[in-house]
Amino acid sequence: MKKTMITLLLGLTLTVSAQQVEYEREDSVRVMELLNGASCLDTVGENRMGEWMVHFGRAIMDMGIPYVGHTLEPFDKERLIINLRQMDCTTFTENVVALSLCMKNGLTSFEAFCHILQKIRYEKGDVPTYSRRLHYFTTWILDNTDMGFCHEIQSPNPPFTEVQTVRVDYMSKNPSKYRMLTVNPGDIPAIRRMESDISGKTFRYIPKQEVKNTALLRNTVHNGDILAIITNIKGLDTQHIGIAVWHDDGLHLLNASSIHKKVVEEPMTLRQYLYKHPTMPGIRVVRIND
């Protein structure tokens, strides 16, 4: 399908800041189908955003969307990419958040979805540039917290019994693994500054041994929370992200899975999943603000 370029007014307050957006017609159609399909969803109570997060995550899963990495980097210059045909764990989560924020704000247009996606994907919602994209999920959490979109849960203790000290430098030390840094090596110093900004920061997390099917964990982690699986891989802060969904047998992960090659509600519990991966010591928990 031929790609189309459009110009939008960006910013929830519709401040004048025009930017090109790259998408295919199928993407805009899917966004509108998803927003229209949620218009009759009866969300009440204290976890309205969580209900929307789970709803949109499952609706995207039902579309049979495959897992594909690096979908944000088809060009030599950064653009705002809207792609609801292929997703990795980050773009899946971002799309679900953007759709949920549209519902929260009573916004039902494709344009609104695009400018919210830009707000959450780039530092301070800035005009898309590679160096301003929130590459490390710790940076994503902190920036979106500052923007008022979310907050990180770090209590009670237990189950938040451990502390992660962030030490990141993977991107700046391995630029050859990132196409955009190979094409634009001048962005490496900005990436290094982003890494420096979060290195040394500490965050409480739930270690895998505390991820149990208990009343305590059910009261702490809510349906629709973003689960950031931390990693002990040197130079990185997180290894995978997805959305929390409780089943009778425990906590599960709704995610774009490189293992299943598609968006899936993981059939095994999150506890089982974590114990299958030695590089994943536990989870950080992020909640979208109601």
Side-chain angles (χ1 to χ4, degrees):
M1 183 183 297
K2 183 179 179 181
K3 292 186 180 290
T4 307
M5 299 299 297
I6 64 174
T7 300
L8 301 177
L9 291 178
L10 299 173
L12 289 174
T13 57
L14 296 182
T15 54
V16 180
S17 177
Q19 175 64 37
Q20 290 180 319
V21 181
E22 182 75 16
Y23 73 103
E24 295 188 4
R25 183 177 182 276
E26 185 178 356
D27 301 312
S28 61
V29 169
R30 287 188 170 186
V31 167
M32 296 309 300
E33 287 178 349
L34 288 162
L35 291 175
N36 290 334
S39 61
C40 61
L41 185 64
D42 185 18
T43 54
V44 295
E46 297 179 355
N47 193 28
R48 182 180 58 158
M49 289 302 291
E51 290 181 44
W52 274 324
M53 291 282 288
V54 173
H55 170 82
F56 283 122
R58 285 174 169 165
I60 289 172
M61 177 181 68
D62 290 343
M63 290 178 170
I65 295 175
Y67 177 95
V68 178
H70 310 294
T71 58
L72 300 185
E73 302 179 11
F75 308 107
D76 291 347
K77 184 177 180 180
E78 186 85 356
R79 300 177 187 177
L80 180 62
I81 303 293
I82 312 297
N83 186 344
L84 277 81
R85 295 159 284 108
Q86 306 162 320
M87 296 182 188
D88 61 22
C89 68
T90 300
T91 59
F92 165 72
T93 303
E94 286 184 335
N95 281 314
V96 170
V97 172
L99 289 162
S100 299
L101 289 173
C102 278
M103 296 305 296
K104 173 184 176 180
N105 289 280
L107 302 170
T108 58
S109 70
F110 179 63
E111 289 81 2
F113 171 82
C114 291
H115 69 240
I116 289 178
L117 190 62
Q118 175 173 318
K119 287 282 188 181
I120 65 176
R121 180 175 289 168
Y122 295 94
E123 187 175 359
K124 299 298 180 285
D126 205 353
V127 173
T129 60
Y130 187 77
S131 62
R132 299 283 281 180
R133 198 199 308 168
L134 302 169
H135 297 281
Y136 291 97
F137 202 65
T138 294
T139 306
W140 192 100
I141 296 168
L142 293 173
D143 192 77
N144 279 284
T145 296
D146 287 346
M147 298 275 282
F149 295 140
C150 69
H151 62 285
E152 183 164 3
I153 309 298
Q154 299 188 66
S155 64
N157 177 8
F160 287 90
T161 59
E162 300 289 343
V163 176
Q164 178 193 31
T165 301
V166 172
R167 303 287 183 193
V168 293
D169 59 8
Y170 191 87
M171 291 183 69
S172 63
K173 286 192 173 180
N174 299 276
S176 62
K177 295 182 181 292
Y178 299 89
R179 178 183 173 277
M180 293 286 273
L181 291 181
T182 302
V183 175
N184 303 294
D187 283 340
I188 296 175
I191 297 298
R192 192 175 291 118
R193 286 192 296 272
M194 180 182 291
E195 294 169 338
S196 177
D197 285 344
I198 60 173
S199 289
K201 291 185 180 296
T202 59
F203 304 91
R204 299 201 72 85
Y205 72 92
I206 303 173
K208 63 176 70 177
Q209 61 267 25
E210 295 291 336
V211 180
K212 305 172 184 177
N213 189 13
T214 62
L216 173 63
L217 197 67
R218 284 179 178 270
N219 288 331
T220 302
V221 178
H222 297 172
N223 280 330
D225 285 348
I226 298 173
L227 302 181
I229 300 177
I230 68 172
T231 183
N232 55 28
I233 297 174
K234 185 176 175 57
L236 293 175
D237 57 340
T238 59
Q239 190 169 340
H240 190 51
I241 59 174
I243 297 167
V245 181
W246 281 100
H247 293 194
D248 289 344
D249 64 344
L251 186 59
H252 289 248
L253 191 68
L254 178 56
N255 69 122
S257 169
S258 61
I259 298 171
H260 296 282
K261 306 299 183 185
K262 61 182 179 180
V263 175
V264 64
E265 196 162 330
E266 181 59 54
M268 71 177 70
T269 66
L270 180 61
R271 180 181 176 89
Q272 293 169 326
Y273 182 90
L274 292 172
Y275 272 99
K276 284 177 67 73
H277 296 85
T279 57
M280 298 177 175
I283 58 171
R284 290 166 60 184
V285 181
V286 178
R287 188 164 299 155
I288 303 302
N289 295 332
D290 271 316

